[in-house]
Amino acid sequence: MFTSYEFEKINSEYNRLIKQKQTKALKIWAPIFLISVIVIVIIIFSTDWIKSEPGSILVPVYGGIAVIGSLVAILVSKFGISQKPAFNYLYKEIYDKINIDSGNHIKYYPFEKTDNDFVERGGLFSRYARVKTNRHVIGNFEGTEYHILDCILITGSGKNQTVHLNGIYYYFKEKSNSLLQVRSNGRPHYKGYKFDKVDSSDIFKVYVEEGKTIRGNDRQYIHNLSEIKNRLNAKRIYFSKTIDEMHFAYVPVKQIRKQNNLTLQRLNELYSFFEDEVIVVKELMTITADYNF
């Protein structure tokens, strides 16, 4: 956990970065607002175009949009908190502290460009989904490399855009001799295989490979996933056991993206939250070691 001295140092730099981000945005939007007002004033008092159509319609509409839009942007720049200082600085400091305290070697990457190949391998969501990654963590537990991503999975664009996941996604290598998906909603997207839904949970939808029955160790996964869902306070969870990998994703009730009015208590809550993410990996791997027979 962080001490008061460590917090003061981190909080000072974090607030400096927030202020820097706000100032940069203001330098962009304040001139746009000023120019918009000047142009509208010139049109109104220097030309007769405003007195007849289409000027009487276009100037109020488009001028109003420009002025109001830039004014809103100024207010957001002044009082809003960007999530970039949290991901680029604050969360890196937390992972560095976790590594020092626990002796781990967790690697942390903010806003990384990520291919969607892991989405296709897991079969939890559409293989066509684009990945927008905010936070990518790579660690190692007993010789197995694991990945944790705070990400958004999206297909389509504009008004036809579909968000398949806005939350946390885990994956790591793990051999298995059966396929299993446990999910709060939706159906499997695992290419090359068909699934049957089995009635084995009142909380989740459970799918096994077509023609197969649910195994004893699969029931243990369902039981443990129910406990994990409650502990994470997750709205929805998704779990996939493939032939050679394990994938797990969940949507938190409250996203951990940006931090306002940082305190020592909040900093240590974030420390515990990131530690708990790693504990989930260990729990999933332990289930495999104990029950995968």
Side-chain angles (χ1 to χ4, degrees), residues 39-82:
V39 169
I40 291 173
V41 170
I42 290 174
I43 291 175
I44 291 175
F45 292 100
S46 301
T47 70
D48 293 330
W49 191 56
I50 186 66
K51 298 178 182 179
S52 60
E53 293 186 3
S56 60
I57 298 174
L58 295 179
V59 171
V61 172
Y62 289 100
I65 291 174
V67 171
I68 294 173
S70 55
L71 180 59
V72 169
I74 288 173
L75 293 174
V76 171
S77 301
K78 179 67 176 177
F79 300 106
I81 301 294
S82 169

Side-chain angles (χ1 to χ4, degrees), residues 6 8 25 93 97 104 106 155 177 180 212 248 258 267 282 290 292:
E6 290 171 325
E8 292 299 334
E93 292 296 310
K97 176 68 172 175
N104 291 330
I106 298 172
T155 53
N177 52 13
L180 174 70
K212 302 292 181 65
F248 172 72
K258 57 185 178 181
L267 185 62
K282 295 178 180 179
D290 291 344
N292 191 16

